[in-house]
């Protein structure tokens, strides 16, 4: 029997994309579009993926894994825990991440108290990617805010694993309205996916040591 470990090139991983648009389904969403493009990029590196539009669910405010009373976060949490990569996609509003992305970070705060069988933080071997869209400046600031929060709760951040599109200020064109994805955005998205998949595969084979 062949007991050889799968190589990094063939090892299957999974990703979950949390789309933090303020727009409920089934309406089109630029954040949703970018998230799916990131997942397409990950798929090229043997990473399967699925999408959750967070606004479609009753996610209660709080910093516990389950806030009770119909809270739908626990089901989303299980998908995050089952995945190797988290994609967090958000629009910019008033220069800041959408409020729903902040709600996600607040709920992830509960994971600081959760550990695995070795006593390590439960999110330690997972990788995060951030995608940002908007019609105003601030994409770098939004990515920085989200990366800081995600890293705080345990996610690892690969090199250049944030991707974004920002339209001209005070104009009405959205990312989803473009006839073609601009080449720099497509290239950045591909790099983010490639690096995130690489890091996730490394962590899958060689997890962080227990303290």
């Amino acid at each position: 029997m062949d007991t050889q470990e799968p190589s990094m090139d063939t090892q299957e991983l999974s990703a979950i994309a949390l789309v933090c648009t303020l727009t409920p389904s089934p309406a089109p969403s630029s954040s949703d579009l970018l998230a799916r493009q990131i997942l397409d990029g990950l798929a090229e590196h043997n990473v399967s993926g699925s999408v959750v539009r967070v606004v479609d669910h009753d996610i209660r405010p709080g910093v516990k894994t389950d806030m009770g009373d119909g809270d739908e976060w626990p089901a989303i949490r299980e998908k995050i825990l089952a995945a190797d990569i988290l994609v967090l996609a958000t629009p910019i509003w008033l220069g800041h991440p959408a409020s729903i992305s902040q709600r996600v970070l607040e709920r992830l705060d509960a994971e600081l108290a959760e550990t695995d069988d070795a006593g390590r933080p439960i999110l330690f071997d997972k990788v995060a990617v951030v995608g940002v869209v908007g019609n105003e400046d601030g994409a770098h600031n939004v990515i920085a805010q989200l990366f800081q929060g995600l890293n705080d709760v345990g996610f690892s951040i690969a090199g250049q694993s944030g991707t974004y599109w920002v339209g001209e200020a005070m104009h009405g064109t959205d990312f989803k309205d473009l006839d073609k994805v601009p080449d720099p955005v497509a290239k950045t998205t591909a790099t983010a996916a490639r690096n995130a998949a690489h890091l996730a595969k490394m962590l899958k084979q060689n997890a962080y040591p227990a303290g």
Side-chain angles (χ1 to χ4, degrees), residues 20 31 88-99 101-102 105 129-134 136-150 162-166:
C20 298
S31 298
L88 191 59
T90 182
I92 301 170
W93 285 110
L94 301 175
H96 297 278
S99 58
S101 63
Q102 182 63 31
L105 291 181
V129 180
V130 166
V132 175
V133 293
E136 53 188 281
D137 200 5
H140 283 172
N141 177 56
V142 168
I143 291 171
Q145 290 184 54
L146 297 181
F147 271 164
Q148 188 275 329
L150 291 165
T163 184
Y164 68 92
W165 176 86
V166 176

Side-chain angles (χ1 to χ4, degrees), residues 81-119:
L81 295 180
D84 301 289
I85 299 172
L86 171 66
V87 176
L88 191 59
T90 182
I92 301 170
W93 285 110
L94 301 175
H96 297 278
S99 58
I100 292 174
S101 63
Q102 182 63 31
R103 176 68 55 87
V104 168
L105 291 181
E106 289 165 354
R107 296 306 302 268
L108 286 172
D109 183 79
E111 306 308 328
L112 288 170
E114 301 293 325
T115 57
D116 63 14
D117 293 339

Side-chain angles (χ1 to χ4, degrees), residues 63-74:
V63 290
K64 297 181 180 179
T65 58
D66 188 346
M67 297 303 298
D69 192 28
D71 182 23
E72 295 183 36
W73 176 255

Side-chain angles (χ1 to χ4, degrees), residues 196-210:
H198 178 77
L199 180 56
K201 290 170 184 176
M202 291 180 65
L203 289 173
K204 192 83 167 183
Q205 293 189 331
N206 190 15
Y208 289 118

